[in-house]
Amino acid sequence: VKALMAEMPGQIGLDSAQFISCLDSEEAKDIVRQQSDVGTALNIPGTPTIYANGRRLNYGQILAVLREAHKNADKVLPVNRP
């Protein structure tokens, strides 16, 4: 995985050595740990986790629920149209 991660920055114009240095830093690891702890405390099973109208969506229902939410968006949040 690390070899793949080392290739990616160069493909988008970033310095690969600097990217890997950041990736390996204790500061970055601490941030990831903190975010993971928050997710665990909120019972978030992993990423991506998507919520719509306050409801966590399971992977199989994401598209259908998002379509329905979009269809009904004006009912929930009125849109000012010219």
Side-chain angles (χ1 to χ4, degrees), residues 6-19:
E7 293 174 16
M8 292 177 5
Q11 294 173 358
I12 58 171
L14 298 177
D15 181 296
S16 293
Q18 187 177 13
F19 181 84

Side-chain angles (χ1 to χ4, degrees), residues 28-63:
K29 290 175 185 176
D30 286 343
I31 290 169
V32 171
R33 277 188 212 103
Q34 290 170 8
Q35 293 297 309
S36 178
D37 290 346
V38 169
T40 299
L42 295 172
N43 198 29
I44 295 173
T47 60
T49 297
I50 299 174
Y51 286 80
N53 297 329
R55 207 172 101 211
R56 186 171 72 201
L57 308 180
N58 295 320
Y59 297 108
Q61 70 183 135
I62 291 173
L63 190 54

Side-chain angles (χ1 to χ4, degrees), residues 1-9 20:
V1 171
K2 190 172 251 184
L4 178 61
M5 294 294 287
E7 293 174 16
M8 292 177 5
I20 293 299

